[in-house]
Amino acid sequence: MAARRISVGIVNHNGESYLEQTLRAVARLGPDVDDVLLVDSGSTDRGVALMREHFPHVRVIELGANLGPGSARNQAISQAAHDRILLIDNDAEPLPGTVELLSAALDNHAEAILAMPAVLYEHAPDTVQFAGAEPHFLGTQVLLQAERSVAQLETAVQVVGTAVTCCVMVDRARFGARPWFDERFFFYLEDHEFGLRASLQGYQCLAVPAARCLHRKGTIGVSVRETGRFTSIRVRYTIRNRWLTVLMLYRLGTLIRLAPALVLFELLQLGGAVKKGWLTYWLWAAGSMVCLLPHVCRVRRAMRSRRRRADLELLRGGAFPFNPAWRRSRLERAAERTLDRMAALNWRLAGGPTS
């Protein structure tokens, strides 16, 4: 069988300091990759000029404004020359062999539309940042095999319930004309919403830990690892997009069954926002959420006919996956313990799977 040709779509916003190293990594992926796109979301640095000067073979698509990574990925998917597309962030460095392993996993799973490698820290390449993700019932991702030594990494291909898109191969032909990434999310959790929505529609998301990708410091000006803090844009969109995901994708019966833990989470989140001086971010998220309610209703209507799996088949319980960079006070740790105990009880009473 002839090898599949692969397109690579690089999502970029102000990634000048990353792009040369990323493009050199893409060049090492081998002859199967013969189409490379850079989708730029309103960068104000010299990254695009650098591409045109030093990497003229790269097709540059300029969106003209920062429309978010979901919009950039949608453009890469629609403009790619091939149906198999490796989507990478501008700070990701897929290692040789990655495209072959991800494509082979897709070939072996006819219902799969995306496959993700294990992502390793570039500054500590013997440590796993994550190797796929599962959807936590409180509305976000649980990263799998996080902070594990590469020597201890379980490498079997696994069907998981959601997506993380630092580096991911998608199969455009299998998903067809259905909506890919929801551009209203703008930034953060847009990959989780897409992965969970696709899984609920009966498609598969694959974690392929034998494939590897190095990850640098994250989005310039936004990432906690790059800035050393939780920026306003991250806080605002994290709050709002978690609400969007839950309200768009969970059935009414699921929302009712999980209401005690969901309500407690919201109360603790609001209290935490007040304590940290983030109340204006919370209020922004609430106002934006109200404006997006018509969109929420449209997605819920579309999901009625497209849904193939029940929520509780995919959602997972366990401790809420707070960002490890969070600086927790004694009060915050007590609130976290209270949430985890209440969530565990609610999950059991709702009939959620225990493993």
Side-chain angles (χ1 to χ4, degrees):
M1 180 183 295
R4 287 182 181 267
R5 295 299 181 185
I6 306 295
S7 294
V8 172
I10 303 169
V11 174
N12 181 61
H13 176 69
N14 287 341
E16 179 183 359
S17 61
Y18 293 146
L19 285 173
E20 184 172 357
Q21 186 173 341
T22 299
L23 265 293
R24 299 203 185 282
V26 169
R28 293 191 290 269
L29 292 177
D32 292 351
V33 174
D34 63 359
D35 176 49
V36 182
L37 304 86
L38 178 85
V39 185
D40 184 77
S41 289
S43 292
T44 56
D45 62 9
R46 294 189 65 258
V48 170
L50 175 73
M51 290 298 97
R52 290 186 166 135
E53 181 179 355
H54 297 289
F55 299 92
H57 67 285
V58 175
R59 289 194 285 144
V60 177
I61 300 171
E62 294 188 72
L63 300 184
N66 186 6
L67 304 179
S71 178
R73 292 188 200 106
N74 287 340
Q75 282 293 318
I77 291 167
S78 66
Q79 298 295 326
H82 308 301
D83 283 333
R84 292 273 170 92
I85 307 143
L86 184 70
L87 299 170
I88 60 174
D89 290 348
N90 57 17
D91 66 331
E93 186 177 335
L95 299 182
T98 297
V99 293
E100 292 87 353
L101 288 165
L102 296 179
S103 194
L106 289 169
D107 287 340
N108 292 330
H109 293 77
E111 301 302 318
I113 60 165
L114 64 87
M116 301 164 284
V119 175
L120 319 177
Y121 293 109
E122 188 214 25
H123 70 276
D126 58 345
T127 303
V128 179
Q129 185 180 6
F130 55 84
E134 293 284 14
H136 194 280
F137 80 93
L138 288 175
T140 190
Q141 301 136 311
V142 178
L143 300 179
L144 300 178
Q145 305 200 63
E147 307 305 319
R148 180 174 294 191
S149 165
V150 169
Q152 299 175 321
L153 188 62
E154 298 174 12
T155 58
V157 176
Q158 181 182 358
V159 177
V160 295
T162 190
V164 188
T165 49
C166 162
C167 178
V168 59
M169 181 176 287
V170 301
D171 191 305
R172 180 174 61 189
R174 291 181 181 177
F175 205 55
R178 294 171 185 259
W180 287 81
F181 296 92
D182 190 328
E183 297 181 13
R184 291 166 181 81
F185 274 57
F186 179 61
F187 172 79
Y188 203 61
L189 291 180
E190 80 289 338
D191 49 1
H192 170 52
E193 187 277 335
F194 169 69
L196 179 56
R197 172 163 41 91
S199 296
L200 288 169
Q201 292 176 16
Y203 295 97
Q204 292 179 343
C205 303
L206 304 178
V208 188
R212 307 286 163 83
C213 176
L214 301 181
H215 194 199
R216 297 195 282 282
K217 288 190 175 181
T219 305
I220 299 293
V222 176
S223 166
V224 175
R225 288 182 295 120
E226 195 269 331
T227 63
R229 60 190 176 89
F230 288 92
T231 57
S232 64
I233 187 173
R234 186 182 184 97
V235 175
R236 288 187 284 119
Y237 284 99
T238 297
I239 294 171
R240 189 202 67 176
N241 291 349
R242 181 184 151 271
W243 291 341
L244 278 174
T245 301
V246 169
L247 292 178
M248 290 195 310
L249 300 184
Y250 290 17
R251 281 177 163 156
L252 179 59
T254 303
L255 292 171
I256 293 171
R257 293 165 81 177
L258 300 179
L262 290 169
V263 169
L264 177 61
F265 185 96
E266 298 310 327
L267 293 173
L268 293 174
Q269 178 172 250
L270 178 57
V274 171
K275 180 178 181 295
K276 291 179 176 293
W278 293 347
L279 181 59
T280 56
Y281 304 157
W282 188 95
L283 292 172
W284 177 93
S288 179
M289 184 72 234
V290 170
C291 294
L292 286 169
L293 285 177
H295 176 64
V296 170
C297 293
R298 286 192 295 271
V299 174
R300 291 188 65 85
R301 285 195 297 269
M303 285 295 292
R304 289 175 191 167
S305 60
R306 294 175 178 172
R307 183 185 298 269
R308 297 292 178 271
R309 300 187 67 184
D311 298 341
L312 293 187
E313 290 182 55
L314 295 171
L315 299 177
R316 296 292 179 264
F320 186 81
F322 287 101
N323 190 307
W326 197 279
R327 300 291 190 269
R328 297 191 183 100
S329 66
R330 182 178 299 177
L331 179 61
E332 289 167 338
R333 290 194 297 271
E336 181 182 352
R337 289 193 296 271
T338 300
L339 174 65
D340 286 342
R341 290 167 183 163
M342 178 67 173
L345 176 60
N346 192 173
W347 185 243
R348 287 196 300 272
L349 294 175
T354 57
S355 61

